[in-house]
Amino acid sequence: MKNYTLEEAKGILLKDFNIDLHEHIAIFQSVINHVTVSIFDNRDHIVRASDTITRLHILLYGTAKISLTHEDGGSSIIYFLKPNEMIGELTLLGIEQNPKDVIAIGKCICLSIPMDIAEITLLHDPQFLLAVSRYIGTKLLDRTWFSVKQQHYSLKPRLAAHILLCACDGLYNEKHTQTAEYLAVSYRHLLHTFRELREEGLITKEKKGYSFNRESLEQLASQLD
Amino acid sequence: MKNYTLEEAKGILLKDFNIDLHEHIAIFQSVINHVTVSIFDNRDHIVRASDTITRLHILLYGTAKISLTHEDGGSSIIYFLKPNEMIGELTLLGIEQNPKDVIAIGKCICLSIPMDIAEITLLHDPQFLLAVSRYIGTKLLDRTWFSVKQQHYSLKPRLAAHILLCACDGLYNEKHTQTAEYLAVSYRHLLHTFRELREEGLITKEKKGYSFNRESLEQLASQLD
DNA sequence: TCCAAAATGTGAGATATCTCATATTTTAGT
DNA sequence: ACTAAAATATGAGATATCTCACATTTTGGA
């Protein structure tokens, strides 16, 4: 993990990642001179469950996972974070009881400000508060939909939806281990279901991932709506 | 369902339900002259998924369930609402895409104000916005914990936790049909698990519900933490 | 008080999913 | 280029949970 000032970061971000910072810092406008930029590598902890959370982040680039380790040693992926999502907002609000691990999947870039600065400014800023309400509310709805579907339908249609969701240029290419944790099934069972989809001709294994028959997958996934 | 003005309601609430309104209207102070009180009977719809939502409610008394009907005809209980919880706040924030049914379980009493009044006042009130952020954030954490546990552990320990949570004066007395929907298992399987708990001596059927060995249930449920 | 609807209860067989053991292939770091 | 770790893959048997069919009991209204 490397840290940069906003000034240092501007050049790097624009050159190497084609990110224009101006689009992203609106929400931090009132605390702009406290903003720094951090670049994380694959598997770096952005937040460690066991540590005190000292900064409020916004993910600019990359994907991160929030995950939780159970008493029995197993773990669950709770959420995949995508660009423009916040990290630490529930701690800022003073309601997070059981912090979770946030881990970079591939390279990740975050804006961040110190938590104590956020507390004395953002918590009184109606614009920020409305934005954060909407953000958390949307997550609540997403999570509700996801978990209701998860508990009501078997893996096959959920996997179909997941493949469609993750596919990039018509190719699904996620790690089965991650998918199994996210869909909360055993690795073995996930593989079994992948085979079913293959045998039914809905997906085909290629060198770089799985290609698929979009219409058939969509039809399978449509029962979730 | 019956509606009352705040003035009309004061007497009824204090006399019949021992509710002192003053404790509850703080959050609506700025729109106090638009507040009305509604009393719902068992199985009344407080909100109907198919209708436009025109009021923002706060539940004062009773229990209500939020539930959703699946494409395949089955249904899931998403959440049990308890006193001091809001109904319609996600609609107020403009982010609710798929409204759900909210149904009274037994008698329910709500404060409410028209949604359009809420939009022009509460959405700019930092105190309200902070309160609503915390409220929704807490729900997000509850729901996350619940669904992660739900998908990772079998019914037995979850049922133990549920019995402890619902028990009143050492007696569990919920409808099995409701419990099955909430814990997202078939009625048949729920009964099967109840029998297991009975045969292992953790619970005992009484005339008015189930009594239980608290320590044993707590030990069973403790693996969820 | 009576009836219809809801809730409770049980059996049997089907299916989804898990656990564990083990082998091969791919990936990342030095 | 080599090696250890991670990811992929498969089989076999166990378990959790579901579906359906059916009988009995309780409950809420007219």
Side-chain angles (χ1 to χ4, degrees):
Chain A
M1 193 264 273
K2 288 181 184 170
N3 291 308
Y4 303 87
T5 66
L6 208 45
E7 275 312 310
E8 291 167 349
K10 271 181 187 165
I12 300 172
L13 293 185
L14 196 54
K15 186 160 67 80
D16 295 356
F17 300 96
N18 199 28
I19 297 172
D20 184 357
L21 270 179
H22 293 294
E23 298 173 16
H24 299 276
I25 52 183
I27 203 173
F28 282 164
Q29 202 53 251
S30 58
V31 287
I32 193 78
N33 52 337
H34 294 94
V35 175
T36 64
V37 175
S38 308
I39 301 186
F40 299 89
D41 292 319
N42 190 28
R43 298 190 209 187
D44 277 355
H45 276 70
I46 299 175
V47 169
R48 201 176 286 274
S50 53
D51 295 352
T52 306
I53 295 166
T54 57
R55 303 188 70 83
L56 175 67
H57 301 266
I58 290 183
L59 186 61
L60 280 192
Y61 173 91
T63 301
K65 61 177 177 181
I66 301 180
S67 76
L68 175 153
T69 303
H70 297 274
E71 290 255 314
D72 66 5
S75 66
S76 302
I77 293 181
I78 291 174
Y79 208 82
F80 281 112
L81 290 169
K82 294 291 183 180
N84 293 316
E85 297 212 64
M86 283 187 219
I87 301 168
E89 77 286 1
L90 299 178
T91 299
L92 173 63
L93 290 170
I95 55 178
E96 176 67 273
Q97 305 293 321
N98 306 95
K100 288 111 193 154
D101 285 308
V102 181
I103 299 166
I105 301 175
K107 195 178 283 284
C108 284
I109 305 178
C110 292
L111 285 182
S112 73
I113 63 168
M115 199 55 91
D116 51 359
I117 301 289
E119 278 166 15
I120 57 180
T121 56
L122 298 179
L123 285 186
H124 304 95
D125 172 356
Q127 287 226 260
F128 176 84
L129 288 170
L130 180 56
V132 92
S133 295
R134 288 189 165 139
Y135 171 64
I136 297 173
T138 302
K139 270 176 99 149
L140 174 61
L141 290 169
D142 287 354
R143 194 119 210 101
T144 298
W145 189 91
F146 182 81
S147 64
V148 162
K149 297 306 174 181
Q150 175 135 298
Q151 70 206 19
H152 195 80
Y153 294 95
S154 68
L155 178 60
K156 210 159 153 183
R158 292 190 286 125
L159 180 57
H162 188 253
I163 290 171
L164 290 166
L165 187 68
C166 297
C168 185
D169 299 325
L171 217 58
Y172 170 85
N173 188 22
E174 301 290 321
K175 301 231 171 301
H176 290 157
T177 43
Q178 298 267 322
T179 298
E181 271 191 51
Y182 187 52
L183 298 181
V185 293
S186 68
Y187 182 80
R188 184 65 192 84
H189 186 53
L190 178 68
L191 268 281
H192 176 69
T193 308
F194 258 101
R195 172 144 80 172
E196 273 183 28
L197 291 180
R198 246 193 293 127
E199 285 174 356
E200 291 164 15
L202 300 201
I203 62 178
T204 311
K205 189 167 184 174
E206 313 280 353
K207 293 155 211 157
K208 307 170 183 182
Y210 289 83
S211 64
F212 49 85
N213 178 330
R214 178 176 296 276
E215 283 161 32
S216 305
L217 280 189
E218 278 172 352
Q219 198 197 331
L220 220 198
S222 70
Q223 64 184 274
L224 302 185
D225 308 326
Chain B
M1 196 264 275
K2 288 182 183 169
N3 291 308
Y4 304 88
T5 66
L6 208 44
E7 276 312 309
E8 291 167 350
K10 272 181 188 167
I12 299 173
L13 293 185
L14 197 53
K15 186 161 66 83
D16 295 356
F17 300 96
N18 198 28
I19 297 173
D20 184 358
L21 271 179
H22 293 293
E23 299 171 16
H24 298 276
I25 52 183
I27 203 172
F28 282 164
Q29 202 53 250
S30 59
V31 287
I32 193 79
N33 53 335
H34 295 94
V35 175
T36 65
V37 175
S38 307
I39 300 186
F40 299 89
D41 292 319
N42 190 28
R43 296 186 211 192
D44 277 355
H45 277 70
I46 299 175
V47 169
R48 202 175 287 272
S50 53
D51 295 351
T52 305
I53 295 166
T54 58
R55 303 188 72 83
L56 175 67
H57 301 267
I58 290 184
L59 186 62
L60 280 193
Y61 174 92
T63 302
K65 61 178 177 181
I66 302 180
S67 76
L68 175 154
T69 302
H70 297 275
E71 289 256 313
D72 66 7
S75 65
S76 302
I77 294 181
I78 292 175
Y79 208 83
F80 282 112
L81 291 168
K82 295 291 182 179
N84 293 315
E85 297 213 63
M86 284 187 218
I87 301 168
E89 78 285 359
L90 299 177
T91 300
L92 171 63
L93 291 170
I95 55 178
E96 177 66 274
Q97 305 294 321
N98 305 96
K100 288 112 193 154
D101 285 308
V102 181
I103 300 166
I105 301 176
K107 194 177 285 284
C108 285
I109 305 178
C110 293
L111 286 183
S112 74
I113 63 169
M115 199 56 91
D116 50 359
I117 301 289
E119 278 165 14
I120 57 181
T121 56
L122 298 180
L123 284 186
H124 305 95
D125 172 357
Q127 287 226 260
F128 176 84
L129 288 171
L130 180 56
V132 92
S133 295
R134 288 190 165 138
Y135 171 65
I136 297 172
T138 302
K139 271 175 98 150
L140 174 61
L141 289 170
D142 287 354
R143 181 117 215 107
T144 298
W145 189 90
F146 181 81
S147 64
V148 162
K149 297 307 174 179
Q150 176 135 294
Q151 70 207 19
H152 195 79
Y153 293 96
S154 68
L155 178 60
K156 210 160 153 183
R158 292 190 286 125
L159 180 56
H162 187 254
I163 290 171
L164 289 167
L165 188 68
C166 297
C168 186
D169 298 326
L171 218 59
Y172 170 86
N173 189 22
E174 301 290 321
K175 301 230 172 300
H176 290 156
T177 43
Q178 298 267 323
T179 298
E181 271 191 52
Y182 187 52
L183 298 181
V185 294
S186 68
Y187 181 81
R188 185 63 192 87
H189 186 53
L190 178 68
L191 268 281
H192 176 68
T193 307
F194 258 101
R195 173 143 80 170
E196 275 183 27
L197 291 181
R198 246 192 294 126
E199 286 173 354
E200 292 164 14
L202 300 200
I203 62 177
T204 312
K205 188 165 185 175
E206 313 280 353
K207 295 154 210 158
K208 307 171 181 180
Y210 289 83
S211 63
F212 49 85
N213 178 330
R214 179 176 295 275
E215 283 162 32
S216 306
L217 280 189
E218 278 172 352
Q219 198 198 332
L220 221 197
S222 70
Q223 64 185 274
L224 302 185
D225 308 324

